[in-house]
Amino acid sequence: MKKALESITVKLLGKQYTIRCPQEEAEMLQQCAVQLDKQMQAVQQTNKIAGNEQIAIVAALNVVGESLQQQQLHKQQRIRTKQRIHALKRRITDCLSPQAQMPLETPDEVLD
């Protein structure tokens, strides 16, 4: 079954664009457009680039760069978490091994 498409209007650097997207994605697309517009305005002000196409390219590269950095950080966190879990598993296993267990019964001399 085809998804119902909706036409939405987004504004980037003062220019309006009409985009069709699935209805359930319309709100997210609006939010993305707001963020992209902010990025483009920042690029325009900081770099003094005149053409909207160049501004859009630099803004897109900035957004992708930030996304890749976040992905790398997330990957490093996953690796550290897995290493910590493995270390904890080894410690638990060592503590539960028969050699490491404390005797549960009292010594014979205490019972006499």
Side-chain angles (χ1 to χ4, degrees), residues 53-92:
E53 183 177 318
Q54 287 179 321
I55 292 169
I57 290 169
V58 172
L61 289 170
N62 289 342
V63 169
V64 171
E66 290 171 8
S67 176
L68 290 174
Q69 285 177 338
Q70 289 299 317
Q71 288 176 13
Q72 185 64 29
L73 285 173
H74 182 70
K75 182 179 178 180
Q76 291 170 353
Q77 288 173 338
R78 278 195 332 259
I79 290 169
R80 283 193 301 270
T81 300
K82 284 181 181 180
Q83 289 171 340
R84 182 72 177 137
I85 288 170
H86 289 302
L88 289 170
K89 282 182 179 179
R90 279 194 306 272
R91 238 176 123 179
I92 290 169

Side-chain angles (χ1 to χ4, degrees), residues 19-37:
I19 302 171
R20 293 179 53 83
C21 67
Q23 287 177 333
E24 62 273 7
E25 295 176 17
E27 186 177 333
M28 178 62 77
L29 184 58
Q30 285 284 4
Q31 292 173 6
C32 290
V34 168
Q35 290 300 317
L36 180 57
D37 186 51

